[in-house]
Amino acid sequence: MADVAVRVEERLKIKIGEAKQLQPRSNLSSVARDVYCTLSLDQEEIYRTKTAEKSLNPFFGEEYQFEVPRDFRFISIYLFDRDKHLKQNKVLGKVAIKREELASYNNKDHWFAIKAVDADSEVQGKVNIELKFTSSYQKNKTVTSYSRNDRLLVQVVKCLDLTLKNGACDPYAVACVTYTNRKTVSKRTKVRKKTTCPQFDEVLTFDGCEGRDKDGLCGDGEVEICELNVSIWHDAPGMGDDVFLGEVRVQLSGIQQQNAAPRNAWYFLQPRSAKNRPSFTYSTPPGTRLSKDNSLGSLRLQVQYNEDRVFPAEIYESLRNLLLKSVQTKPITSSAVYVLGEIISSKMEIAQPLVRIFMHHGQIVPMIKALADAEISMLTDPTTIFRGNTLVSKMMDEAMRLIGLQYLHKTLRPTIELIFNERKPCEIDPTRVRDSNTVQTNLNNLKTYVLKVFKAITQSAVHCPALMCQIFYNLKECAMKHFPENKEVRYSVISGFIFLRFFAPAILGPRLFDLTNEQIDNQINRTLTLISKTIQSLGNLVSCRSSQQVCKEEYMESLYKEFYTETHVTAVRQFLEIISAISNPETRDNDTPVTLKEGLMIKRAQGRKRFGRKNFKQRYFKLTTHSLSYAKSRGKEALCQIPLSNILAVERLTEKSFKMKNMFQIVQGERTLYVQAANCVEEKEWVDLLTKMCQTNQNRLNQYHPSAFINGKWSCCESLNELASGCSKVSSIDSNTFHMTLDPERELQRIHSLIIGHIKQLEIIMYQPDTLVKGILQFKSYGLEDVKECYVVLRELRDVALKIEARHKTYMRTLARDTKYGSLAAPIGDDNYLLASRMNLDSLLLRR
C-alpha cells in the first residue's frame, strides 16, 4: 500500500452571507460604513466581494468555489471599511477557520465572531531549522577551575511561503538564545531579496560563555542555554521598523530537552509570543486588540470543503461497475443510482459526481432518461414535473452546466458585458427610486436589455450542444407519453430547465458561471435581478399556468405585458422545438470564437530585440477557443494575438527565475511568454485551461525548462545553450470533450465518501423491509422480486464502500507510520515544542 499513488484533491465552496453589529466609525459625520470582504488562503487574497454601502449590518450574498491549488493553514475572510473621503481602506477584522475545522461546518450556515487583525499574528509559512550541540571545558579567568562551555550552532536552512508585505518580501532570520540567567544574545542572517522562499547558508554560533557575567561567572551554577527563538523578518527600510513574519520557539533547557530537540526539522511559523510584542502605553479605541471591549460583530458563512484522497482507477472498479449497471436495471428504483439518491439527503452532493461519471463513460443521456421516466410516471399533475429538488432535476442542472457552459457564454456574454459597460439604471419599483419621473426611462432601459437577452436566447437554438438536445428530446418524449392529452407539456418540460434553471441563474449570478470577473455593485445587481425574473416568466409563456399567473409585483406588470404576446410565445416554442429535436446536429461557428477566460495579469516583455529591455507590465488577457491575446486594457485593441495552435507548452515557472510568485510560461516556437497571475487560484485556472486547449497540438513539447534563461544560462539545469532541450517532462491532464473538471476516480471517491457518511441510513433500510418499500420502491405496483433486487443493491453498495474504506485505513496507517514529525510533510506546529520533542523521543525509545 505504501507504493500506491494517492493524490489529494481539495475543493472549497464558500458563501459570504451578511455581517451583524459592526462597530460604527468614530467620527460623528458618518456612523455607518462602506464594507467589503476579501477571501484569502492564509494571507493571499483570492476573491473580493462588492461593497455594501452605508451599513453596520451589510449583506453580501456572494458565493465562490474553486479547486485549492496549494497547501494552506487558514481560510480567512477579512472585512474592510472603504473610506471615500480619506481614500483609504481600513481593516475591521477577520474570520479565520483552520483547515482541519472546515469540514465540521459543511453545508450549514454558521455565525462566526469577527476577530481583530493583529499584525503580529498575521503569519504563514514554514521554516527548516538545523541545530548542532558541542561541549568543551575551559579555564575560568579569576579562579583556578574549569567550566563546561556548551556551544549551539543554528542554521536557518530554508523558508517556504512567507507572507508578502505590501507586495514585497525581503526576508532575513534572527536567532535569539536565552540563557538560564535570563541574558539573551541575538544574531541575524543576511537579507535575501525578493523571495518568499529564501535559503540561508549562514551558521549562527552561540557559546555558553556569552551568557556569563563580566567575570566569567554565573552565580551559583553553570550558565546554560534554555530557549532558542528563531524569527523571520521583512527588511523594510522605507517603512520604518522591519516587519515581523513569524517565529519558532524551541525549548533547550537541560540535557534532556537538548537531546529531545530535533536536529533538523521543519516548523510552522507562529505568531509572536506576548513577551516579545512591543508594548503600547497610549489608550486604544473600542474594538481593537488592546481594548477591553472586543466586540467587533459577527459574519454569517456557509462553507463546503471537500478533501479527497484519490486512489488509482482499479481500486474503484467494483463501485464504478455497480453504478454503470444502473442504466440497464429494471425497475430503475432498484438501481444503485436511484438508491443513492434516496439515501443521501443532499441531492446536489450526489448528483454532481454521478453526472461526471456517467458523462465520462458516455452514459449520461440514457441514465437521465431512465430516471426521468420513473419520476414522471409517478405524477398525476403535469404542472409539477421536475418542480422539486429531486435527483434527476439536480442531475439535469449539473449536466447542463457542464455540457452547455460555452453555449451559455456565446449566448449571454455580449449582453452581460453591455450591461456592465453602459451601467444604465433599470429600477422600476417606485418605492426604490428617489424621483418617480425616472421610472419610465428606467423601464425603457430594462425593456431594451430584456429584449436583447430574449433574442439572444431564442436565436441561439442551432448552437445548443447536441448532447443537451438529446436529453431534452428524451424528456419531451417521456412527458408526452405519460400526459398525451396535455398539448403544452412538450414545451413546459423543457422550458422549466432551459429558462428557469439554466439561463435565469446565469443572468442572476454571472460570476458563478464565469460570464464576468468584474465586481457587481448594487445597481447592476438589481438590473440583473429584474432581467432574471423576467426571463423566468418567459419560460412560463408556454405553460398552461401562464394565462392564470398573477403578477406578484405590480410594478412588473407593464414589463410582463410587453412580452406576453403571440409573437413571443411563438418564438419561445420554436426555440424549444429546435433544441429538443433529436436530429438537431451540434453546430459550431468556427468564425465566431467563444471567450473562455479573461482578466488582468502581468507579463514580461518578450524581448523581440536581442538586447531589448525585458520589463513587466500589466495587460488584459483574453483566452478564446481560437487564440490567446492581450491588450493594454479591457476593450482595447489586442497588442499581441497567439493562435492556440502555436502554443507548444504551458507550465508553471519556479519562483527563483524572477523572484515572483504565481508565474507561468507560455512556450512558443520563437520565444516564451512569462506571465504572473493575481493569485494561486487564478494561476491554476489559467494554466489548466490553456493546457487543456493546447494538449492536442501536434507540435506540443515533451520537455520544458521550469526556470527562465537569465544571465546567459538556464537557472534550472545550468545549460548555457538557450536552445537546449528542456530538462523536465511537461505535465498532462486527462482528455475529455466536455469540461475541465471531469475526473472519474475523484468522483468515485466522492461517492464512496458519501456512502460511508450515510452507512447507518443504508443499513436501516436494508434490515427494515417496510422502510425499503416506502422509501425507495415508490412505483404504484411492486413485487417481491423488486424488494429482493433492491436489497441486493443495498448490500452491494455497503460491501463495496467498506472494501474501499479498508484500503483507506490501511493507507492512512502506513502514511502515519512513514511520516516523520518535523518533516516537510508534517511540520512541528504545536506551541508546546517541548511536548512535541518528548513525543518524538518517546517514540524513538519505543522503537528500540
Side-chain angles (χ1 to χ4, degrees):
M1 280 297 296
D3 297 328
V4 173
V6 179
R7 52 193 171 96
V8 179
E9 301 284 354
E10 300 169 278
R11 184 166 183 81
L12 181 70
K13 180 179 180 181
I14 184 165
K15 184 174 183 179
I16 302 176
E18 59 187 316
K20 292 289 187 183
Q21 299 177 339
L22 299 181
Q23 292 288 323
R25 290 178 181 169
S26 56
N27 59 318
L28 298 178
S29 59
S30 176
V31 295
R33 298 180 183 273
D34 297 338
V35 186
Y36 67 89
C37 299
T38 62
L39 172 63
S40 301
L41 284 178
D42 295 319
Q43 280 87 53
E44 183 182 8
E45 180 179 325
I46 307 298
Y47 296 110
R48 180 175 296 195
T49 70
K50 63 178 181 293
T51 300
E53 298 184 347
K54 299 179 181 179
S55 176
L56 296 178
N57 300 292
F59 176 78
F60 303 103
E62 297 199 24
E63 186 178 298
Y64 306 96
Q65 51 185 327
F66 58 93
E67 298 290 327
V68 179
R70 63 169 176 82
D71 192 17
F72 68 98
R73 293 168 69 183
F74 290 91
I75 286 292
S76 302
I77 295 90
Y78 294 82
L79 288 89
F80 288 86
D81 178 20
R82 186 188 68 184
D83 194 324
K84 296 180 181 178
H85 301 290
L86 298 178
K87 295 183 179 180
Q88 65 180 16
N89 298 333
K90 178 184 177 183
V91 64
L92 300 176
K94 72 173 180 178
V95 170
I97 310 174
K98 287 184 178 180
R99 177 182 179 178
E100 296 79 12
E101 298 173 356
L102 283 169
S104 63
Y105 300 109
N106 268 0
N107 297 320
K108 55 187 176 183
D109 282 349
H110 191 87
W111 286 94
F112 294 85
I114 299 171
K115 303 294 185 181
V117 176
D118 183 347
D120 288 327
S121 66
E122 290 285 278
V123 301
Q124 69 177 46
K126 314 176 188 75
V127 58
N128 181 209
I129 301 174
E130 186 174 329
L131 304 179
K132 186 177 181 181
F133 295 91
T134 61
S135 295
S136 63
Y137 288 87
Q138 63 181 32
K139 187 176 182 181
N140 292 326
K141 295 181 180 178
T142 57
V143 294
T144 57
S145 63
Y146 290 86
S147 60
R148 193 182 73 195
N149 180 41
D150 294 327
R151 175 176 292 178
L152 170 63
L153 282 68
V154 179
Q155 182 179 0
V156 182
V157 182
K158 187 177 183 180
C159 299
L160 291 177
D161 303 321
L162 298 179
T163 307
L164 288 171
K165 296 296 182 180
N166 293 325
C169 187
D170 297 330
Y172 64 91
V174 175
C176 179
V177 165
T178 301
Y179 294 89
T180 48
N181 62 356
R182 297 184 179 180
K183 184 176 180 180
T184 60
V185 176
S186 298
K187 298 181 181 182
R188 56 171 284 179
T189 68
K190 295 178 182 177
V191 175
R192 299 295 185 266
K193 292 289 186 180
K194 297 181 179 180
T195 178
T196 57
C197 302
Q199 296 186 28
F200 303 98
D201 52 11
E202 299 103 314
V203 177
L204 308 177
T205 304
F206 297 89
D207 284 321
C209 59
E210 292 178 311
R212 298 173 183 170
D213 57 25
K214 295 180 180 179
D215 298 323
L217 300 174
C218 63
D220 297 331
E222 294 287 345
V223 172
E224 294 181 347
I225 296 171
C226 64
E227 185 183 66
L228 168 67
N229 180 297
V230 175
S231 56
I232 310 299
W233 298 79
H234 164 55
D235 182 43
M239 299 172 58
D241 296 336
D242 291 346
V243 183
F244 174 77
L245 298 180
E247 71 176 17
V248 168
R249 299 177 299 279
V250 184
Q251 299 298 325
L252 299 172
S253 180
I255 298 299
Q256 184 179 10
Q257 288 188 0
Q258 290 182 11
N259 289 337
R263 291 300 185 266
N264 189 317
W266 282 91
Y267 298 83
F268 278 124
L269 286 170
Q270 301 291 335
R272 182 152 39 174
S273 59
K275 67 178 182 179
N276 293 331
R277 297 186 183 187
S279 59
F280 299 94
T281 56
Y282 50 84
S283 61
T284 54
T288 59
R289 175 174 57 87
L290 299 176
S291 69
K292 293 181 180 179
D293 175 19
N294 199 33
S295 175
L296 297 180
S298 54
L299 182 66
R300 180 168 60 87
L301 302 174
Q302 187 181 87
V303 178
Q304 183 176 334
Y305 171 73
N306 294 320
E307 180 187 57
D308 298 316
R309 296 185 180 272
V310 184
F311 285 86
E314 58 269 18
I315 303 297
Y316 304 104
E317 185 175 0
S318 298
L319 177 58
R320 179 175 57 249
N321 293 339
L322 183 58
L323 293 173
L324 293 177
K325 193 169 65 174
S326 298
V327 177
Q328 288 83 32
T329 302
K330 304 292 183 181
I332 192 66
T333 50
S334 298
S335 70
V337 168
Y338 192 94
V339 167
L340 287 174
E342 292 299 313
I343 292 173
I344 295 168
S345 54
S346 174
K347 297 297 182 283
M348 183 51 85
E349 271 199 271
I350 186 64
Q352 287 179 336
L354 283 175
V355 167
R356 285 167 166 79
I357 290 168
F358 280 93
M359 193 173 290
H360 177 79
H361 291 282
Q363 295 292 309
I364 190 62
V365 174
M367 188 71 254
I368 288 181
K369 179 183 178 182
L371 292 171
D373 193 49
E375 180 168 326
I376 294 174
S377 69
M378 300 178 199
L379 302 177
T380 57
D381 183 358
T383 63
T384 61
I385 296 178
F386 303 129
R387 292 291 174 177
N389 289 325
T390 60
L391 176 64
V392 67
S393 65
K394 289 299 183 183
M395 288 181 69
M396 272 296 299
D397 292 346
E398 184 65 16
M400 288 190 299
R401 181 160 181 159
L402 285 173
I403 302 166
L405 192 60
Q406 289 189 23
Y407 167 54
L408 192 70
H409 283 210
K410 189 181 188 73
T411 306
L412 294 183
R413 184 184 280 271
T415 306
I416 296 294
E417 289 182 345
L418 185 67
I419 292 169
F420 276 88
N421 291 335
E422 293 184 343
R423 306 183 67 83
K424 290 181 178 179
C426 295
E427 183 56 71
I428 58 175
D429 184 354
T431 63
R432 289 174 173 257
V433 295
R434 294 181 180 179
D435 184 1
S436 59
N437 295 325
T438 62
V439 171
Q440 187 58 46
T441 302
N442 295 350
L443 178 59
N444 293 334
N445 294 338
L446 183 57
K447 285 180 180 178
T448 300
Y449 288 142
V450 172
L451 185 60
K452 285 182 179 295
V453 172
F454 179 80
K455 285 184 176 180
I457 292 174
T458 54
Q459 295 174 6
S460 69
V462 294
H463 300 295
C464 185
L467 208 57
M468 283 178 65
C469 295
Q470 293 173 30
I471 294 174
F472 290 147
Y473 172 80
N474 290 335
L475 294 181
K476 179 178 69 175
E477 291 296 306
C478 288
M480 291 171 62
K481 180 179 68 175
H482 290 289
F483 299 99
E485 296 179 357
N486 190 306
K487 303 302 180 184
E488 295 175 338
V489 73
R490 63 184 292 123
Y491 301 118
S492 59
V493 70
I494 308 300
S495 66
F497 281 113
I498 196 72
F499 280 99
L500 275 66
R501 307 178 77 134
F502 186 63
F503 286 122
I507 296 168
L508 186 62
R511 291 184 61 151
L512 289 176
F513 293 81
D514 297 324
L515 287 167
T516 184
N517 54 11
E518 293 193 31
Q519 291 296 319
I520 304 175
D521 58 29
N522 292 333
Q523 178 181 307
I524 289 182
N525 184 61
R526 180 62 177 165
T527 298
L528 296 174
T529 300
L530 292 172
I531 296 173
S532 180
K533 290 173 69 172
T534 310
I535 291 302
Q536 289 186 51
S537 71
L538 293 178
N540 290 324
L541 285 177
V542 293
S543 170
C544 59
R545 301 187 305 165
S546 62
S547 59
Q548 305 169 357
Q549 279 186 333
V550 178
C551 193
K552 294 181 180 179
E553 300 95 352
E554 186 178 342
Y555 61 84
M556 294 290 289
E557 187 174 351
S558 60
L559 181 65
Y560 288 164
K561 284 182 178 179
E562 186 80 16
F563 293 94
Y564 272 63
T565 67
E566 190 61 34
T567 302
H568 291 93
V569 171
T570 301
V572 170
R573 286 180 173 172
Q574 288 177 344
F575 168 71
L576 296 175
E577 285 285 6
I578 296 172
I579 66 171
S580 62
I582 190 65
S583 59
N584 178 46
E586 183 175 6
T587 305
R588 290 186 178 179
D589 186 357
N590 292 325
D591 295 327
T592 308
V594 177
T595 300
L596 302 176
K597 187 173 179 62
E598 57 186 327
L600 287 170
M601 292 192 289
I602 296 172
K603 62 166 284 288
R604 186 190 189 225
Q606 297 185 65
R608 291 179 174 81
K609 296 181 180 179
R610 185 175 178 82
F611 299 100
R613 185 183 178 189
K614 297 183 178 179
N615 55 351
F616 292 86
K617 292 183 178 180
Q618 190 178 69
R619 293 289 182 257
Y620 193 85
F621 283 77
K622 179 181 285 191
L623 174 64
T624 73
T625 48
H626 289 179
S627 65
L628 174 71
S629 63
Y630 60 81
K632 283 189 175 181
S633 60
R634 191 171 185 268
K636 297 291 185 181
E637 184 179 354
L639 298 173
C640 177
Q641 194 156 4
I642 306 170
L644 295 185
S645 58
N646 290 356
I647 296 178
L648 308 182
V650 181
E651 298 289 342
R652 288 176 173 82
L653 196 69
T654 57
E655 184 188 332
K656 68 179 182 179
S657 296
F658 301 110
K659 298 187 183 298
M660 296 168 65
K661 299 185 72 173
N662 305 322
M663 289 202 71
F664 63 95
Q665 53 182 314
I666 300 165
V667 183
Q668 306 166 69
E670 297 180 358
R671 62 182 68 89
T672 299
L673 176 63
Y674 298 109
V675 183
Q676 183 187 36
N679 54 60
C680 60
V681 173
E682 279 287 298
E683 178 202 20
K684 176 177 173 56
E685 290 179 355
W686 277 103
V687 171
D688 287 351
L689 195 52
L690 279 164
T691 302
K692 171 67 181 175
M693 296 304 297
C694 303
Q695 66 177 344
T696 57
N697 288 353
Q698 293 183 352
N699 55 351
R700 191 168 183 265
L701 295 179
N702 294 318
Q703 302 285 124
Y704 81 104
H705 290 284
S707 297
F709 188 81
I710 301 175
N711 298 326
K713 66 178 181 180
W714 291 102
S715 51
C716 46
C717 58
E718 306 292 328
S719 174
L720 303 179
N721 181 9
E722 189 171 3
L723 301 178
S725 298
C727 53
S728 298
K729 186 177 180 180
V730 298
S731 57
S732 61
I733 57 176
D734 292 334
S735 176
N736 62 69
T737 58
F738 302 111
H739 196 267
M740 287 293 299
T741 56
L742 284 186
D743 182 348
E745 285 74 43
R746 182 179 182 182
E747 307 307 335
L748 288 163
Q749 174 55 39
R750 288 296 314 136
I751 291 177
H752 162 254
S753 298
L754 289 169
I755 297 173
I756 292 297
H758 293 76
I759 199 76
K760 289 184 179 179
Q761 294 93 313
L762 187 149
E763 290 180 339
I764 288 173
I765 295 175
M766 281 181 65
Y767 299 117
Q768 295 183 10
D770 290 342
T771 306
L772 176 66
V773 171
K774 292 177 183 178
I776 298 178
L777 295 176
Q778 299 177 21
F779 275 133
K780 296 173 184 176
S781 62
Y782 59 86
L784 186 60
E785 284 301 315
D786 297 332
V787 176
K788 289 181 178 179
E789 285 296 322
C790 197
Y791 178 84
V792 169
V793 169
L794 286 164
R795 187 183 62 195
E796 288 178 330
L797 280 172
R798 182 197 62 182
D799 293 347
V800 166
L802 292 177
K803 184 178 178 182
I804 297 173
E805 187 67 11
R807 299 296 295 266
H808 274 276
K809 290 179 179 179
T810 302
Y811 171 78
M812 293 305 293
R813 284 195 297 267
T814 304
L815 188 66
R817 184 192 66 203
D818 295 344
T819 301
K820 180 183 176 183
Y821 190 57
S823 65
L824 180 58
I828 297 172
D830 240 324
D831 285 335
N832 190 339
Y833 292 110
L834 172 60
L835 177 61
S837 300
R838 284 178 175 170
M839 288 172 63
N840 273 354
L841 181 62
D842 291 343
S843 65
L844 288 173
L845 292 174
L846 287 173
R847 289 181 186 179
R848 291 176 183 176

